[in-house]
Amino acid sequence: VKALSAGARNLKEPLAEKILETGSSNKHDQGFTAGDLKNQASAFVDHYNNDRYHESIGNVAPASAYFGRHAVIIEWRQRIKKLTIQNRR
């Protein structure tokens, strides 16, 4: 399968449209497969949950908050900040 099926190209979900958008003027000749879309979506979700810090939960990754590691991370950051300020004096 060289390109996505017509049904997949016509998705109305904004995320799917954003993932499929590459700036090419010919949207039908992108060379994406359903597996490519699945891999890109999986990589995005992994990044969003494990690497990207979220301000609303104390600037930690959602996975860290979910597994209860956020308190340790925030405490560790506060110690580093305190030591940094002391070293500047």
Side-chain angles (χ1 to χ4, degrees):
V1 178
K2 177 162 172 119
L4 289 173
S5 68
R9 276 196 301 272
N10 292 326
L11 290 174
K12 298 299 180 194
E13 290 84 76
L15 177 61
E17 289 178 2
K18 187 67 176 170
I19 291 172
L20 293 174
E21 182 181 333
T22 63
S24 172
S25 60
N26 185 355
K27 298 248 181 209
H28 298 287
D29 191 21
Q30 304 251 342
F32 288 115
T33 64
D36 293 335
L37 179 59
K38 182 178 178 180
N39 290 338
Q40 288 181 4
S42 177
F44 172 79
V45 170
D46 182 62
H47 168 74
Y48 188 86
N49 288 331
N50 297 298
D51 300 326
R52 185 176 178 273
Y53 296 152
H54 294 253
E55 187 175 357
S56 64
I57 55 175
N59 285 318
V60 296
S64 296
Y66 180 80
F67 291 112
R69 298 184 299 251
H70 63 289
V72 173
I73 292 169
I74 292 170
E75 181 181 326
W76 177 69
R77 288 178 183 166
Q78 289 172 344
R79 285 183 191 167
I80 291 173
K81 182 178 179 179
K82 184 178 178 181
L83 289 172
T84 302
I85 292 171
Q86 287 176 352
N87 289 335
R88 287 183 185 170
R89 295 179 186 178

